[in-house]
Amino acid sequence: MALQTLNPPLRWRPEPSFPINDRTIVDLIPRRWALPQATVAVGACASCQIATGNGGFWNPLVGSETALRKVVPKRVDLATLGNLCVDIVLGVPSLPLAPKNERRAYMERLAASPPDKKFWEAGGNCNLAIAASRLGLSCFTVGHVGDEIYGNFLLEVLEDENINFLGMSKNADRTANVADYQTLLCFVLVDPFQKHGFCSRADFSEEPAFIWMTELTDEIKMAIRQSKILFCNGYAFDEFFPDLLISALDCAISGGTSVFFDPGPRVKTLSNGTPQEQMALQQFLRQSDVLLFTSDEVETLTGIHNPIEAGKALIREGVRTKWVIIKMGAKGSILIDHSSVSCAPSFKINVVDTVGCGDSYSAAIAFGFIHGIPAINTLTLANAVGAATATGCGAGRNVAQLSRVLELLNQSILNEDDKFWNELIGGNSLNNEVLLLSKVSINGHSHGFNRIPISSVVSKLLTIFEAANERGTVSS
């Protein structure tokens, strides 16, 4: 394997690295703060019965399969599926060329000299989980982490960030190549112009990285059902077979767990992938509660240039789709639901590094969805969290701190571009109410949309966090 030279000799163990006593009890680290009971509601699935205690213990094996299909108490806010890796962040004079053989040779040259630990960072879905935990959500990650120096590093980071880990080990073959069980590494290459390139061993295989994983354990099934949200992105297809991902989707739906899906850059390859990949992609697009895209990704998927029209098409085609989120980069973001379109310009900042911004943004969307926060307010918070991450360098432990998020909200300096939003909103057939976050203090209709003053939105958001702070439950 291309990255094998980076890893010292190791002894692989099939059990999850996170301690499970007798494989029946998972110890949840309590969330650092929680909203008052009266304000807790799952955004678009308020019919689910929600447990709002501060973590505690749960038994993932209680009850029969029939019982599992009933409403399951939700003791965790957010679970992520797969995409756990260690990023090796390196400055390079230029990014490698596109041909696969040249990129692989480039990566092997990097792997020949193990990087200093100062270049290591938690990556993948760890970014989202860390950002969500810092917002106050209780989180755990489901995936595979190897029993070596990189895996130990990743687990230490998760523990430090108050995030639980549940390992995937079913169908493990003790006689298999040890490299098949190593923690995934991703080289994050940054050129002098702050452009990024990514490469890992998963990029150079026709099969999933963890080909030995073919079904979910009972612990993982129950853990998914006891979460309010299951988050999955397109990179999970690099690690697991489509059938396993579909089983996780079915498990979430049967347990009343909301599903977030962000296909990311993999949307193009999945759309043109194997029949199994295409079928799994379509199931996630139709069955997920919340879909997240960049404007380029949603156009690639739908063939529709206007992101609002593309989002509306996905809403119509979805079976359970409640929100479609379109990230517009420096312009801001859009949330489309069945009755309205909400648009929020971005915050003005000095961008240092955009790695991890999308993951951080998604964590805030999950926060708003869980707590029933209005769409325009949720977008505002998400834009602030993404912007706060962009003012730092790198992702992982460098994603947005709550204090920086609140600072940006208090400043409320929007990157407004009325011409852009007028053209975007005017370029589609709208039968929905359109809301636009604005600096203006007048709340009213203008140019076909309803301007919502940011002062009122920020006031409501700050009230949520200040109320938690007054109870002394926010961790600095």
Side-chain angles (χ1 to χ4, degrees):
M1 303 300 283
L3 297 185
Q4 190 170 357
T5 53
L6 272 178
N7 294 283
L10 58 92
R11 175 186 58 80
W12 173 75
R13 67 176 181 226
E15 293 80 17
S17 299
F18 184 80
I20 300 179
N21 301 328
D22 300 324
R23 299 183 62 79
T24 58
I25 302 293
V26 177
D27 182 4
L28 287 181
I29 302 172
R31 74 179 76 177
R32 286 177 287 182
W33 65 276
L35 292 180
Q37 173 122 7
T39 65
V40 175
V42 176
C45 54
S47 60
C48 300
Q49 186 163 345
I50 305 300
T52 59
N54 288 340
F57 293 84
W58 94 71
N59 187 333
L61 297 179
V62 170
S64 64
E65 183 66 24
T66 301
L68 290 176
R69 293 188 175 276
K70 298 178 181 179
V71 174
V72 179
K74 305 299 181 184
R75 306 190 187 282
V76 178
D77 291 315
L78 175 67
T80 68
L81 180 63
N83 191 215
L84 301 178
C85 63
V86 172
D87 286 346
I88 309 296
V89 186
L90 301 173
V92 295
S94 62
L95 298 180
L97 299 175
K100 180 176 287 189
N101 61 330
E102 295 186 28
R103 287 190 293 113
R104 181 164 189 165
Y106 186 95
M107 185 182 67
E108 289 179 336
R109 289 197 298 272
L110 292 174
S113 300
D116 190 280
K117 193 172 182 178
K118 67 182 179 181
F119 298 115
W120 303 6
E121 193 48 79
N125 272 336
C126 297
N127 301 330
L128 183 145
I130 291 171
S133 180
R134 290 177 179 181
L135 287 173
L137 298 182
S138 57
C139 309
F140 74 84
T141 57
V142 172
H144 176 68
V145 172
D147 184 20
E148 13 78 351
I149 56 173
Y150 296 107
N152 292 335
F153 165 78
L154 202 57
L155 293 176
E156 288 172 2
V157 171
L158 293 174
E159 182 179 359
D160 289 344
E161 294 290 340
N162 223 33
I163 299 164
N164 296 281
F165 167 74
L166 188 57
M168 303 178 75
S169 61
K170 196 161 187 174
N171 317 119
D173 181 1
R174 292 176 182 270
T175 66
N177 186 341
V178 69
D180 293 340
Y181 298 94
Q182 292 172 348
T183 304
L184 278 181
L185 301 185
C186 179
F187 286 96
V188 182
L189 310 176
V190 186
D191 73 7
F193 302 100
Q194 290 299 305
K195 292 183 179 179
H196 299 89
F198 305 88
C199 55
S200 77
R201 76 168 189 253
D203 299 333
F204 306 105
S205 174
E206 298 299 322
E207 295 182 319
F210 305 132
I211 191 172
W212 46 269
M213 173 57 69
T214 58
E215 59 181 310
L216 301 175
T217 63
D218 290 336
E219 294 97 328
I220 291 172
K221 289 178 182 178
M222 180 51 87
I224 289 173
R225 291 185 172 107
Q226 292 194 341
S227 302
K228 298 174 188 177
I229 291 173
L230 174 67
F231 178 89
C232 180
N233 63 25
Y235 292 110
F237 286 81
D238 293 345
E239 300 179 11
F240 310 118
F241 285 111
D243 285 350
L244 182 141
L245 297 175
I246 290 175
S247 70
L249 174 65
D250 292 340
C251 177
I253 293 172
S254 71
T257 296
S258 298
V259 179
F260 278 42
F261 180 55
D262 183 349
R266 290 291 186 265
V267 68
K268 184 175 183 179
T269 55
L270 293 175
S271 297
N272 299 291
T274 66
Q276 292 80 10
E277 288 175 336
Q278 293 182 43
M279 181 183 70
L281 173 64
Q282 289 304 313
Q283 288 210 35
F284 269 94
L285 292 174
R286 289 172 55 81
Q287 298 288 342
S288 295
D289 298 82
V290 177
L291 299 172
L292 301 105
F293 305 89
T294 65
S295 55
D296 290 339
E297 292 162 0
V298 79
E299 182 176 358
T300 296
L301 178 67
T302 64
I304 301 173
H305 178 67
N306 186 288
I308 296 177
E309 289 286 2
K312 288 166 61 180
L314 290 169
I315 287 279
R316 289 192 299 268
E317 295 168 5
V319 175
R320 291 161 40 89
T321 315
K322 299 169 181 67
W323 288 359
V324 175
I325 311 290
I326 314 293
K327 295 169 282 186
M328 309 289 293
K331 295 296 184 182
S333 56
I334 304 168
L335 189 157
I336 301 105
D337 61 27
H338 288 275
S339 61
S340 65
V341 177
S342 300
C343 306
S346 64
F347 289 88
K348 277 189 177 181
I349 57 167
N350 293 320
V351 176
V352 175
D353 189 356
T354 58
V355 173
C357 292
D359 300 319
S360 304
Y361 176 99
S362 298
I365 295 294
F367 183 94
F369 186 87
I370 286 173
H371 296 305
I373 297 174
I376 194 72
N377 299 30
T378 297
L379 283 183
T380 304
L381 177 63
N383 285 349
V385 172
T389 294
T391 61
C393 185
R397 293 164 295 179
N398 300 310
V399 300
Q401 293 283 355
L402 179 58
S403 58
R404 179 59 176 145
V405 174
L406 298 181
E407 180 182 347
L408 289 176
L409 288 173
N410 272 305
Q411 292 171 349
S412 298
I413 304 175
L414 291 181
N415 185 29
E416 287 193 297
D417 186 342
D418 280 351
K419 181 180 178 181
F420 169 80
W421 293 107
N422 284 332
E423 291 177 353
L424 184 66
I425 294 169
N428 64 94
S429 55
L430 290 172
N431 298 316
N432 308 64
E433 180 185 21
V434 181
L435 307 177
L436 176 64
L437 187 72
S438 175
K439 290 184 292 188
V440 299
S441 57
I442 299 175
N443 186 359
H445 289 271
S446 174
H447 300 289
F449 45 81
N450 187 13
R451 290 182 179 270
I452 306 298
I454 188 173
S455 57
S456 65
V457 171
V458 168
S459 175
K460 292 173 183 176
L461 289 173
L462 293 179
T463 297
I464 292 173
F465 292 102
E466 288 168 358
N469 188 42
E470 288 175 1
R471 293 194 304 277
T473 49
V474 175
S475 176
S476 59

